[in-house]
Amino acid sequence: MQIIEEVATRHGLAALIQEKPFNDVNGSGKHNNWSIATEDGIMMLHPKAINSATGNNSAFAVIMAAIIAAVNEHGDLMRMAIASPGNDFRLGACEAPPAIVSTYLGDDMTFYLSHFKDGKGEGEYVPSVKTLDLGTHEVLPFEVPAEDRNRTSPFPYGGARFEFRAVGSSQNVSMVNTVLNTIVAEKFAEFADAIDGGADPMDIAREALNENWRVIFNGNNYDEAMQQELTDRGIWRIDSGVEAIAQITAEKNTKLFEKMKVLTKEECESRKVILHDHYTGTVEIEAKCLVDMIQQHIIPSVKAAAVGPLSDLESSVKTLKTALQEIHDTEDSYKKAQLSRVLRLETMIDIRAVCDAAEEVVPANLWTLATYKELLFLDQHTSVPAESGPYYEEKPVRIIFMKVSVICWTSKLKPTLQTLDANSYSTFAVTVFIDSPGMCQVAISSHWEEAFEASGQEQWRFGYAL
């Protein structure tokens, strides 16, 4: 997100990273790809790898049973982790999954686990594969899992990892991964305790699958009939982000975090308050921005054109200010957030329709805001001046390397790999580009920087992997 915001500024733009800027048009989100591995690097969601490492063809099935149980039991926490004002607009349409927490496994995996839980077989799960050819000389064709994808699912399995597709574009993923790691760790601990107590791992896994099978759904999550079916199953469904945030202090969840030594009850309470305050603050900023747009742009344009819903616009300003004052007069952060959600998803939606009606009739030369057409087709309505010079000031610096792998691309785009070790390179002089005085983005950074000249005049691009 930082890179997006910085690059936008260089071009005279602002990146809002808004989840749903336009109605009925695909919004923006993050796909949080989540996987787990043992301390020695064995991928636990890779069937062949984990089964081979354990010498048990059913190890993968046991692991999947624990994860499925975690998603079914703690879907409310997963929904809490993705709650934000923008995501309340986004979830449920235009390639965004709904606020119903199910998991998609695909036909092959579902068939395998179904037979496993019913005692019809304990063989190894071997996913089919397909060859992916990118059509380039630099990358040879390679095999990938042939498991199909479901873009409507919030948490599909996609070959050695799960993909949490419901995270908002403006969100930090720390809470998302904290929740995923905690709920799965709890189930692993429960399985391990039962096994230590003498229970058979296969019996534990089968029982877990039978008790939590309802959370598996391979159908169309956009279909309202299917959404009702999932709701009737009792799968976690929390449409309101405000109510989802409140779930972090539910008794079962505070006990979970305390048992796993992740958060205390008091820390859960504080996070609930912070998340609700953030929700309210975001809505307040947007509501005040809407007030300014109406008063400083839309009303003057309507008056200048002598056409449009002037009285409705003036009334809308009063409605917004009254709603904001009610929020300010409320002390409880939970109630403030509830009022903010109504303001954002109901009141402001209605007022937006009034503003749209004004835009439709006011002549373009009198409309002082960007139109929908200009916003949606920015490249056709703006011109970017030629760059007058480099963005960076070139200065030499000296960087100390302990043990750093440097991947270098020559101008011919042929990759080479060097390892700079403290034993042989105590220092390494490079030339970097400085953003501004006091701002240097080079080592220990995920950024790719045009940085130094190798021998001769050949330019290199490089990055660091610690």
Side-chain angles (χ1 to χ4, degrees), residues 419-430:
T419 297
L420 306 180
D421 195 298
N423 296 328
S424 55
Y425 291 85
S426 58
T427 62
F428 192 80
V430 300

Side-chain angles (χ1 to χ4, degrees), residues 65-86:
I67 294 173
I68 290 167
V71 173
N72 184 49
E73 184 173 340
H74 296 296
D76 58 332
L77 277 179
M78 293 175 64
R79 176 66 178 92
M80 177 277 299
I82 59 169
S84 71

Side-chain angles (χ1 to χ4, degrees), residues 153-395:
S153 175
F155 196 62
Y157 176 83
R161 94 273 188 222
F162 280 90
E163 182 182 25
F164 200 177
R165 295 177 51 85
V167 185
S169 55
S170 64
Q171 289 187 281
N172 186 301
V173 297
S174 57
M175 179 59 81
V176 170
N177 289 301
T178 296
V179 166
L180 292 177
N181 292 340
T182 303
I183 65 177
V184 171
E186 181 202 32
K187 287 303 171 188
F188 283 174
E190 290 179 0
F191 277 34
D193 290 343
I195 294 170
D196 289 343
D200 182 86
M202 308 308 162
D203 292 339
I204 298 170
R206 289 192 183 97
E207 182 180 357
L209 287 171
N210 279 298
E211 291 179 353
N212 299 282
W213 194 257
R214 65 180 181 178
V215 80
I216 300 171
F217 180 68
N218 295 338
N220 181 5
N221 285 264
Y222 295 159
D223 189 319
E224 292 185 3
M226 295 296 98
Q227 291 179 8
Q228 186 58 51
E229 177 190 323
L230 292 173
T231 304
D232 293 341
R233 287 187 192 180
I235 294 176
W236 281 105
R237 175 176 185 169
I238 309 175
D239 293 332
S240 165
V242 174
E243 304 307 322
I245 291 169
Q247 285 297 119
I248 194 173
T249 57
E251 184 178 1
K252 79 173 184 68
N253 294 330
T254 56
K255 286 183 177 180
L256 164 71
F257 283 124
E258 288 188 319
K259 178 174 70 174
M260 302 307 295
K261 302 185 186 304
V262 176
L263 296 170
T264 64
K265 182 178 180 180
E266 291 74 21
E267 288 171 331
C268 289
E269 291 281 356
S270 69
R271 277 158 178 75
K272 182 181 77 170
V273 172
I274 291 169
L275 290 170
H276 277 151
D277 286 347
H278 180 268
Y279 194 106
T280 299
T282 301
V283 173
E284 180 180 358
I285 291 171
E286 294 184 357
K288 287 183 174 180
C289 179
L290 181 55
V291 169
D292 288 345
M293 291 171 68
I294 294 173
Q295 288 185 320
Q296 299 172 13
H297 292 274
I298 300 177
I299 287 179
S301 294
V302 167
K303 288 182 176 179
V307 63
L310 180 59
S311 62
D312 289 340
L313 289 167
E314 292 172 337
S315 176
S316 295
V317 171
K318 294 179 182 178
T319 299
L320 288 169
K321 289 183 175 181
T322 299
L324 285 168
Q325 189 60 51
E326 183 181 4
I327 293 171
H328 291 167
D329 293 341
T330 303
E331 295 184 2
D332 182 75
S333 62
Y334 185 10
K335 293 180 179 178
K336 289 167 77 80
Q338 288 175 319
L339 291 171
S340 298
R341 187 175 189 275
V342 173
L343 173 58
R344 178 68 144 69
L345 270 73
E346 298 179 20
T347 307
M348 291 173 66
I349 290 292
D350 294 337
I351 292 174
R352 167 259 177 93
V354 177
C355 297
D356 288 351
E359 181 180 331
E360 289 177 356
V361 296
V362 171
N365 65 317
L366 297 177
W367 190 257
T368 58
L369 292 171
T371 64
Y372 279 113
K373 182 179 179 181
E374 291 168 338
L375 291 171
L376 287 167
F377 304 100
L378 187 65
D379 60 324
Q380 299 179 23
H381 295 275
T382 59
S383 60
V384 179
E387 298 173 5
S388 56
Y391 291 120
Y392 304 103
E393 174 187 358
E394 184 176 340
K395 290 185 178 181

Side-chain angles (χ1 to χ4, degrees), residues 146 183 285 402 410 459:
I183 65 177
I285 291 171
M402 294 305 293
T410 68
Q459 293 289 331

